[in-house]
Amino acid sequence: METLLLDREGVDANARMDEVIDAVGDAFAAYERGDALMPAKSYIELDQYNGDFRSMPAYMDAGEWDAAGIKWVNVHPDNPEKFDLPTVIGTMIYSDPETAVPLAIMDGTELTMKRTGAAAAVATDQLAIPEARSMGLVGAGVQSYTQLEAIAEIRPIEEVVVSDLDSDAVDAFVDAFSDRFDVRAGSIAEAAACDVLSTVTPSTEPVVSRADLGAHTHINAMGADAAAKQELDPEILVDAKLVIDDHAQTTHSGEISRSYEDGRIDDSDIHGAVGEIVIGDRSGRTDEDGVTVFDSTGLAIQDVATAHVIYEHASEADDVDSFPLVGR
């Protein structure tokens, strides 16, 4: 059996967003049903290189299909300046759960962007007002693109407001989407007043205030994936209907981690996990809800689910490289 080799373009071409959203929703559901295995993310700290490696393995059974794999990813902040390389480089190994044959080795960086957008879309579908037409983005980096692409699959987004300190990044974002949306640069307050808001920054201090939000804004808090990071005014967490992806990860390194640690919020303030809403054990948006927040830290089952979609399409394509990694 040949192992497929997919670079960034190959991942992009075969990660059909509507299917990735469905698969990531299936992953959240499998996790809540107990049909997934996801050991804790492990770290190798390399202080001498000012970097680290992280391994994220997972298996999930969606019922009609199952999937297994591992993402090997790094964070090396000195890479751009010293080596002209990205700070983060990800590699996904997607394997056959029955035989353990590596079915594909694929770029994990593009895959991560796709699955992160899809996770926000799953949460938005459950928590945003049905008639949501406007979307705000705080942060115009690479993650912002798949946030809009994914959320526009499940809500009829028309107006988009993007805010970033880097005006060139904002201009590039506006240029990329101006043929599909009424998209413009704006302030953080203007972005936060939209029906849906995704925050995708590396900020370590709150950048979105409670007063900026609309009465029924749904927030996807995507940027805080380490204990030092924070994007939202803690008062937002106190007031909002708060949904998480995983309790251990979000209370350790998610948007809620600081407020959880200092006692501003506790478990009684957490409405539930997004997977609980997907399977019907918790309510999504109700008529009584105001602001809602999804705290996303990213789960390995999302990577595996996304890799499943990519592999299924790539295995049918004629222009994908492959090689005999496993011999008899």
Side-chain angles (χ1 to χ4, degrees):
M1 180 178 289
E2 296 277 297
T3 299
L4 302 187
L5 188 61
L6 294 157
D7 61 9
R8 182 172 184 169
E9 289 74 20
V11 169
D12 180 51
N14 292 284
R16 302 183 186 179
M17 187 56 83
D18 58 337
E19 295 180 32
V20 173
I21 293 168
D22 288 343
V24 169
D26 289 342
F28 284 135
Y31 187 46
E32 294 303 329
R33 291 195 309 263
D35 293 331
L37 300 171
M38 190 175 64
K41 184 189 302 185
S42 63
Y43 291 79
I44 298 174
E45 302 286 349
L46 301 172
D47 293 338
Q48 69 271 37
Y49 299 120
N50 188 29
D52 65 63
F53 286 107
R54 308 165 188 198
S55 63
M56 299 174 64
Y59 165 82
M60 58 164 286
D61 183 356
E64 295 183 359
W65 53 273
D66 64 349
I70 182 169
K71 187 169 73 175
W72 178 244
V73 64
N74 74 293
V75 177
H76 281 59
D78 298 335
N79 267 2
E81 183 176 347
K82 285 187 175 181
F83 306 108
D84 194 28
L85 289 169
T87 298
V88 178
I89 303 170
T91 303
M92 184 75 192
I93 301 173
Y94 179 68
S95 300
D96 184 329
E98 183 176 9
T99 66
V101 170
L103 299 174
I105 299 172
M106 60 184 75
D107 172 65
T109 305
E110 183 72 17
L111 179 146
T112 300
M113 291 191 291
K114 299 292 187 184
R115 64 85 146 151
T116 304
V122 172
T124 301
D125 199 25
Q126 300 291 340
L127 295 167
I129 57 174
E131 63 273 19
R133 296 292 188 275
S134 62
M135 181 173 177
L137 287 150
V138 178
V142 293
Q143 291 285 357
S144 63
Y145 289 71
T146 52
Q147 289 292 303
L148 177 52
E149 289 168 355
I151 289 168
E153 289 282 344
I154 52 87
R155 287 294 188 275
I157 299 299
E158 298 172 355
E159 178 188 0
V160 180
V161 181
V162 58
S163 180
D164 196 295
L165 295 174
D166 184 344
S167 60
D168 290 339
V170 171
D171 290 343
F173 184 92
V174 171
D175 288 345
F177 290 105
S178 59
D179 61 335
R180 295 175 53 192
F181 305 96
D182 176 12
V183 55
R184 63 180 177 85
S187 66
I188 290 175
E190 289 173 306
C194 292
D195 297 327
V196 179
L197 170 67
S198 286
T199 57
V200 281
T201 78
S203 179
T204 57
E205 297 295 334
V207 294
V208 178
S209 73
R210 177 66 182 89
D212 289 338
L213 300 174
H216 302 285
T217 299
H218 167 65
I219 306 169
N220 296 303
M222 313 302 289
D225 58 357
K229 294 183 180 181
Q230 187 177 24
E231 298 180 297
L232 307 182
D233 177 349
E235 287 302 314
I236 296 173
L237 306 180
V238 173
D239 292 346
K241 185 173 192 173
L242 184 56
V243 175
I244 60 177
D245 59 3
D246 176 75
H247 187 275
Q249 287 192 186
T250 53
T251 55
H252 175 266
S253 57
E255 180 63 44
I256 70 170
S257 61
R258 286 192 185 180
S259 293
Y260 192 87
E261 183 178 358
D262 66 21
R264 188 185 292 262
I265 64 171
D266 57 29
D267 287 346
S268 66
D269 297 298
I270 300 173
H271 176 68
V274 65
E276 293 179 288
I277 299 175
V278 172
I279 65 174
D281 284 356
R282 292 283 190 273
S283 64
R285 174 166 285 278
T286 67
D287 292 340
E288 291 74 33
D289 290 331
V291 173
T292 56
V293 172
F294 173 50
D295 183 2
S296 172
T297 53
L299 306 179
I301 51 170
Q302 298 167 217
D303 298 313
V304 170
T306 303
H308 167 75
V309 173
I310 294 166
Y311 175 76
E312 290 300 304
H313 288 291
S315 63
E316 299 172 352
D318 297 326
D319 58 347
V320 176
D321 292 332
S322 64
F323 64 104
L325 179 62
V326 177
R328 292 186 179 182

